[in-house]
Amino acid sequence: MHVKTYIAKLIDLVELEREAEINAMREEMRRLRGYEREKLGRTILNLNGKIVGEEFGFKLVKYGRKEPFKTEIGVGDLVLISRGNPLMSDLVGTVVEKGSRFIVVALESVPSWALRNVRIDLYANDITFRRQIENLKNLSESGIRALKFILKQEKPTKSTPQEFEPFDKSLNPTQRKAISLALGSEDFFLIHGPFGTGKTRTLAELILQEVKRGNKVLATAESNVAVDNLVERLWGKVNLVRLGHPSRVSKHLKESTLAFQVESHERYRRVRELRNKAERLAMMRDQYKKPVPQLRRGLTNKQILKLAEKGRGARGVPAKEVREMAQWITLNEGVQKLYKFAEKIEEEIIKEVIEKADVVLSTNSSAALEFIKDVEFNVAIIDEASQATIPSVLIPIAKAKRFVLAGDHKQLPPTILSEEAKELSETLFEKLIELYPYKAKMLEIQYRMNEKLMEFPSREFYNGKIKADESVKNITLADLNVREPFFGEPWNSILKREEPLVFVDTAERRDKWERQRKGSTSRENPLEALLVKEIVERLLRMGVKEEWIGVITPYDDQVDLIRSLIGEEIEVHSVDGYQGREKEVIILSFVRSNKKGELGFLTDLRRLNVALTRAKRKLIAIGDSETLSNHPTYKRFLEFVKRHGRYIRLGNAEIH
């Protein structure tokens, strides 16, 4: 396929996905009543707001109400503000802060209706799609070359290892090898970082080494959290600046943001003075009549000023009104001039801050911002590359001479809503590592979990190459001063502190079956949800802290059911919601239990890999072996637990 044809195809796919996302959101707003959407956590109703300040040119509005609300809307999300019908509004803002009864939104302007009895809806982020399309339409040489590699129209050169003196002395040999090869790559390099192998740490070292060599680095990731993690590791070691909406950045990282660095610049005082002056002048201007069309009766600004000079009126516009409008026009010109001048200085400061920085950090999408449009980068280093679509990673790639991608294609790919755009879930990382395995290095030592928990995923997904670092090899709940279980069987066996790997088999239970809610495509399993509840309650009684426990299940309806049983204190998420995260104890509910032995999307083994690799000290998996063992990988997992962990068959006795 020709590159041009492929780019056109990518643009079509992004358009399809954008449509799908906006439609899904609008469809839900249309289909569900406000209170139903609020129950799902995507709307907050009956809010009143007041303007509580201004930050980086945005008005901050604090919305609140008496009753507390539980919501999925979080800091950094785009939200739609409306009264009555959200589909009729186009007032969009960014969430800056959130409590149990209030939420603070940054808005460019605040119409007066937007402060009384409004609703706030989670909104699809259209900007991201627009930036991807814009970048594809004007793709740079570097971007085109990246596509030529996956279309096999150009072959990458072999990477030659470079000697370097690490800043971080505790890097292990595979991390050092990956850095040395990335430094010696003329076109691109791939760092394959499975669970817990210190991918971010490796990237931070690579960035420091690039800067040491005099290179300017663009470092990006798909999510703000991952960008924050990089800023965290680099802060104070290099000159860096973080792009993006300041509200999307962790509080103590505010100093790294472009906005903060611009506002702290010595010349910014002048910008403030000019803007204050403009505001005062605008207040004077507004005491005069504004020359709106019905007042000016076709007269141009020039004509109005001329008539005023002569003290005359015209065509049904009395001289007094002409004079008033002339005053307005004169003062308005002054206001515009001051704002323009302030903007010019601000742009110069921005340019200076970015020029001075050795490392510019942002999400993939924010790398499309105007500020860095003409900045030349020597290298783009992209984290979470196996969770970002090709149009997304092409934004940073297009801005640099070479690129390094870090990720793990054995974990979950990006989520794509549109059936017709499914192809977007195949990432650049995945395509490149399959075509050019010699351009990749896998990190092999994991620092997250007990060796027993790691062993099966390592064999199944990584050719048995992953080893546990000595520091975590034998960690269990016993190290955390948790009490011995004292509940009798089967609980004591399930909860044994020294046992990291447990499978609770429901195959012999009469009430083991899954079910489907009316109108839902998801699944739930009441018995497994009840078992999760019983296990969580007992763990807490043993002294395990709430924040140490995570519950994972592949199905959204099961997430709902479990949350309704155990409350909000324990984190319950789908597998997708846990990618990149970890907990001391994970309880995993597989849900599927049916006479046909159907496993549905459990057969996407990347989902299994993510689910099995979140626990540090203990994993309790619950499922029906009869259904699960219809799949060879799940069958091997059950065999593995029988040999190396604790396999518990539940009888039909009452559970409590």
Side-chain angles (χ1 to χ4, degrees), residues 2 158 428 459 487 498 536 567:
H2 192 274
K158 212 166 154 12
L428 188 70
R459 285 187 200 178
F487 312 104
E498 295 77 12
V536 166

Side-chain angles (χ1 to χ4, degrees), residues 212-245:
K212 189 177 169 183
R213 286 166 165 64
N215 290 330
K216 195 172 183 80
V217 181
L218 174 60
T220 68
E222 190 64 6
S223 72
N224 279 294
V225 176
V227 180
D228 282 354
N229 290 339
L230 276 172
V231 173
E232 192 98 56
R233 285 183 178 272
L234 295 168
W235 186 242
K237 297 177 187 163
V238 278
N239 211 325
L240 65 83
V241 62
R242 160 83 152 96
L243 304 185
H245 199 298

Side-chain angles (χ1 to χ4, degrees), residues 78-292:
L78 278 193
V79 289
L80 182 67
I81 292 163
S82 63
R83 273 181 86 159
N85 183 356
L87 298 170
M88 302 299 287
S89 171
D90 57 2
L91 183 61
V92 176
T94 306
V95 178
V96 184
E97 205 185 321
K98 155 185 166 186
S100 61
R101 286 188 173 81
F102 75 87
I103 190 158
V104 181
V105 181
L107 292 163
E108 271 182 42
S109 62
V110 186
S112 53
W113 63 260
L115 296 173
R116 299 237 15 98
N117 192 18
V118 298
R119 67 181 266 182
I120 286 183
D121 285 87
L122 188 59
Y123 198 64
N125 199 341
D126 192 36
I127 303 161
T128 307
F129 295 116
R130 287 210 303 269
R131 286 173 179 166
Q132 291 176 7
I133 291 167
E134 188 58 28
N135 181 57
L136 285 165
K137 285 182 173 164
N138 307 294
L139 202 57
S140 72
E141 275 308 305
S142 316
I144 288 169
R145 192 173 63 156
L147 294 181
K148 282 185 174 166
F149 291 138
I150 58 173
L151 296 169
K152 298 196 240 179
Q153 293 174 10
E154 206 173 299
K155 222 172 149 49
T157 58
K158 212 166 154 12
S159 304
T160 46
Q162 300 291 304
E163 289 290 312
F164 70 98
E165 185 52 52
F167 291 95
D168 180 349
K169 299 287 182 258
S170 55
L171 290 169
N172 67 51
T174 57
Q175 290 170 328
R176 289 179 188 222
K177 188 78 200 279
I179 293 164
S180 117
L181 285 163
L183 289 169
S185 300
E186 280 172 33
D187 32 48
F188 71 86
F189 192 71
L190 310 169
I191 296 177
H192 181 192
F195 57 92
T197 51
K199 187 165 50 74
T200 311
R201 183 184 199 161
T202 307
L203 290 186
E205 178 71 37
L206 172 61
I207 291 168
L208 294 175
Q209 292 298 336
E210 289 284 7
V211 170
K212 189 177 169 183
R213 286 166 165 64
N215 290 330
K216 195 172 183 80
V217 181
L218 174 60
T220 68
E222 190 64 6
S223 72
N224 279 294
V225 176
V227 180
D228 282 354
N229 290 339
L230 276 172
V231 173
E232 192 98 56
R233 285 183 178 272
L234 295 168
W235 186 242
K237 297 177 187 163
V238 278
N239 211 325
L240 65 83
V241 62
R242 160 83 152 96
L243 304 185
H245 199 298
S247 65
R248 302 188 171 203
V249 181
S250 311
K251 272 277 192 285
H252 65 289
L253 298 177
K254 281 245 194 288
E255 289 176 41
S256 66
T257 61
L258 178 62
F260 184 92
Q261 292 185 36
V262 167
E263 289 188 6
S264 317
H265 193 281
E266 71 239 24
R267 287 183 66 204
Y268 196 77
R269 274 224 320 275
R270 184 78 184 113
V271 176
R272 274 205 188 92
E273 281 164 16
L274 290 165
R275 288 202 173 130
N276 288 339
K277 213 166 164 183
E279 274 169 31
R280 284 199 300 276
L281 209 54
M283 278 163 77
M284 280 167 65
R285 173 198 68 191
D286 294 342
Q287 288 162 8
Y288 297 100
K289 278 204 170 144
K290 186 177 179 180
V292 289

Side-chain angles (χ1 to χ4, degrees), residues 21 93 95 97 142 153 222 230 242 292 315 398 446 455 476 489 521 550 565 639 645:
E21 223 175 271
V95 178
E97 205 185 321
S142 316
Q153 293 174 10
E222 190 64 6
L230 276 172
R242 160 83 152 96
V292 289
R315 291 200 295 255
Q446 67 82 19
E455 192 56 42
T476 65
E489 291 303 336
T521 51
L565 292 178
E639 290 303 320

Side-chain angles (χ1 to χ4, degrees), residues 10 28 49 166 201 203 331 376 419 451 456 459 619 646:
L10 286 175
E28 191 180 275
R201 183 184 199 161
L203 290 186
L331 288 167
E376 285 259 309
E419 271 306 314
E451 195 168 32
F456 179 77
R459 285 187 200 178
L619 171 69
R646 196 154 275 219

Side-chain angles (χ1 to χ4, degrees), residues 503-510 512-513 528 592-599 623-631 634-635 638 642 647 649:
F503 183 77
V504 179
D505 189 357
T506 63
E508 290 165 19
R509 299 278 307 190
R510 287 189 291 270
K512 68 180 181 176
W513 309 108
E528 290 187 18
R592 297 313 295 257
S593 170
N594 54 67
K595 295 196 166 78
K596 291 184 182 157
E598 281 175 357
L599 286 183
D624 169 11
S625 62
E626 269 182 1
T627 301
L628 293 173
S629 52
N630 283 303
H631 189 288
Y634 285 87
K635 193 174 177 160
L638 299 177
K642 278 177 191 162
Y647 191 96
R649 288 183 177 79

Side-chain angles (χ1 to χ4, degrees), residues 517 522-523 553-561 573-574 601:
R517 294 183 195 174
S522 189
R523 300 274 190 289
T553 177
Y555 290 91
D556 286 341
D557 283 358
Q558 184 75 341
V559 168
D560 260 8
L561 182 57
H573 283 300
S574 65
F601 80 155

Side-chain angles (χ1 to χ4, degrees), residues 7 29 83 110-111 144 192 204 208 265 302 328 389 401 411 445 541 574 633 655:
I7 291 174
M29 286 181 192
R83 273 181 86 159
V110 186
I144 288 169
H192 181 192
L208 294 175
H265 193 281
K302 226 180 191 156
W328 193 97
T389 63
K401 297 189 179 75
Q411 293 185 50
I445 296 172
R541 281 163 65 192
S574 65
T633 301
I655 291 169

